[in-house]
Amino acid sequence: MAPSFLANILRKTPTIAKLANRGVLSVSGSQASEFLNGLLSTSVPNPPKGPFYSAFLHAQGRVMYDVFLYTTTTPAGQPAYLLEYDSQPSEAQSLLPMLKRHILRSKVKVRDATEDYDVWAAWGSESATNISKSWTWSRSGVVEPTWEGSEWPWGTQSEALMDRRALGMGKRLLTRRGDKPTESNSHESGSPSDYLLHRIALGVPEGSADIVPMSAFPMESNLDIMGALDFRKGCYVGQELTVRTYHTGVVRKRILPVLLHKPGDASQITDSVPDFPLHLDIRPLRANLPSGDKSLPRPRGTGKLLSTQGQFGLALLRLEHVESALKNELSLQLENPADGKTWQASPWWPSWWPEPPAEEEYNRLAEAASV
């Protein structure tokens, strides 16, 4: 359950914010859909149906970029795509030269359109209400969403996207540089920090700070739950390890929201929260429990602190640690190198998070997968 005072911090009115550090590439040409289908982790319909969320993976199955793909039209009236991504430097190869390297003889044109567009997020509006979702679990712990009541869940508007990564995320919009979307007439202006807190509260990782390029595995980064993976499409870069994990692996980590507080004190808002460096280690420490025969998981490995905003953040955590922390069997602690003080990270499951099936259903899924 989310901390009770989180509701007092989040914005309660429809809000729109222009986002920083977002790049935009234009991908056009008669073979653009086919070209992207061979690289992205989701199927790319041809002809295009609408925008969607996806990812570029490395050949070894690690995430390079999580991306939003918008539909648009060229000046000649031909269908094309605008690809939005985190443009901050990282360990991953720059996206534009990477795509150009794969073009070969394809009838595809890729160019940098970052200077042509602004990227916006809008949330809190009735018009952006999410449609119903159902969930399919694999024995490995991979989760696939199915959207109900819509032919194309991400919307069909050009240069706009219904953000279905999680319930309540709202919309994502592109405008020509310097212009404002129509939502600015009905929404209050917010900041990138407001948007960061909004998605932290919903447990939604985004960009290189949360989904660390060349390091993060797609399922551990919740890309399956957020609809960015297709386990049944044809070959694409990084498919082999991703599908193998689906069928025979085990998802041992997930990115979850956490409350940062002084050890043992998770009930108060404090103004004295320091700025935490990215990717600090989070160490599991076993709680002092009465002696008995109860078996507790051995605190092995560490988690990583990701994006933070005040007392709230996202963290990559081992699921066994999360389960024990929620039962107060261990605490998750980190040390701020700036002052050497120890802080505790208390995770929670977002309200929209899918409930795992009963053991009987797991057994049925395992039998079906083995046929």
Side-chain angles (χ1 to χ4, degrees):
M1 181 180 296
S4 58
F5 57 78
L6 177 60
N8 299 325
I9 298 174
L10 294 172
R11 298 179 67 96
K12 297 179 176 61
T13 56
T15 303
I16 189 167
K18 185 167 71 171
L19 307 184
N21 301 315
R22 305 301 295 179
V24 178
L25 300 182
S26 170
V27 184
S28 59
S30 60
Q31 295 181 314
S33 296
E34 179 183 351
F35 169 73
L36 290 171
N37 192 63
L39 296 174
L40 288 170
S41 58
T42 51
S43 297
V44 182
N46 189 16
K49 291 184 178 181
F52 55 93
Y53 177 62
S54 191
F56 290 100
L57 306 182
H58 188 264
Q60 276 70 50
R62 309 291 180 111
V63 181
M64 299 181 69
Y65 294 92
D66 67 314
V67 299
F68 298 89
L69 209 66
Y70 303 83
T71 51
T72 188
T73 54
T74 66
Q78 298 300 314
Y81 298 97
L82 292 170
L83 195 158
E84 179 212 330
Y85 66 103
D86 187 344
S87 60
Q88 297 179 96
S90 72
E91 294 297 319
Q93 180 183 0
S94 297
L95 190 54
L96 180 60
M98 185 194 80
L99 294 182
K100 287 186 173 181
R101 180 166 54 86
H102 283 90
I103 290 177
L104 301 177
R105 297 182 180 179
S106 299
K107 296 179 180 178
V108 175
K109 181 179 180 181
V110 181
R111 67 176 182 87
D112 190 349
T114 302
E115 296 302 316
D116 299 337
Y117 291 94
D118 289 325
V119 180
W120 301 78
W123 66 95
S125 170
E126 291 292 333
S127 62
T129 301
N130 282 258
I131 58 178
S132 299
K133 268 184 182 181
S134 59
W135 307 95
T136 300
W137 288 71
S138 75
R139 186 70 181 181
S140 61
V142 173
V143 187
E144 298 176 89
T146 300
W147 292 275
E148 301 168 356
S150 176
E151 183 178 352
W152 192 252
W154 306 93
T156 56
Q157 181 182 349
S158 293
E159 300 177 14
L161 177 144
M162 302 298 293
D163 194 344
R164 306 297 190 195
R165 290 177 295 170
L167 185 65
M169 277 303 296
K171 298 177 67 176
R172 211 166 177 97
L173 308 154
L174 296 180
T175 63
R176 289 288 174 175
R177 179 59 61 92
D179 292 345
K180 291 186 177 180
T182 56
E183 283 77 3
S184 62
N185 297 322
S186 57
H187 290 55
E188 291 186 358
S189 295
S191 66
S193 295
D194 292 323
Y195 173 71
L196 174 58
L197 183 59
H198 171 65
R199 68 176 182 83
I200 286 175
L202 293 176
V204 174
E206 179 180 301
S208 60
D210 300 328
I211 306 173
V212 183
M214 311 306 293
S215 175
F217 286 106
M219 280 76 85
E220 292 181 354
S221 303
N222 305 343
L223 293 187
D224 54 338
I225 299 178
M226 296 191 296
L229 299 176
D230 186 337
F231 297 97
R232 295 163 186 81
K233 66 173 285 188
C235 183
Y236 62 91
V237 177
Q239 179 203 34
E240 183 178 354
L241 184 58
T242 303
V243 174
R244 186 189 310 157
T245 301
Y246 177 89
H247 288 291
T248 63
V250 177
V251 180
R252 302 187 187 279
K253 300 178 183 179
R254 288 286 188 183
I255 293 177
L256 291 176
V258 295
L259 171 67
L260 301 168
H261 58 91
K262 295 178 181 179
D265 182 11
S267 61
Q268 299 294 323
I269 300 176
T270 176
D271 295 327
S272 58
V273 181
D275 292 329
F276 292 94
L278 273 174
H279 309 149
L280 285 179
D281 284 345
I282 300 177
R283 306 182 310 277
L285 297 178
R286 183 169 294 173
N288 293 321
L289 296 176
S291 59
D293 296 331
K294 187 174 182 181
S295 176
L296 297 180
R298 178 168 58 90
R300 56 183 178 181
T302 58
K304 291 290 183 183
L305 184 66
L306 307 173
S307 293
T308 58
Q309 180 63 31
Q311 276 189 264
F312 301 94
L314 294 172
L316 176 65
L317 301 172
R318 293 182 68 90
L319 294 176
E320 62 178 356
H321 294 166
V322 173
E323 181 180 358
S324 294
L326 293 176
K327 296 178 181 178
N328 295 318
E329 296 171 347
L330 59 75
S331 63
L332 301 171
Q333 299 191 359
L334 61 156
E335 182 178 299
N336 188 343
D339 57 14
K341 292 183 178 180
T342 298
W343 289 75
Q344 186 171 332
S346 295
W348 75 86
W349 294 103
S351 59
W352 62 271
W353 198 273
E355 290 288 335
E359 183 64 24
E360 293 78 8
E361 178 66 7
Y362 268 132
N363 292 335
R364 186 191 67 78
L365 291 170
E367 291 177 2
S370 64
V371 174

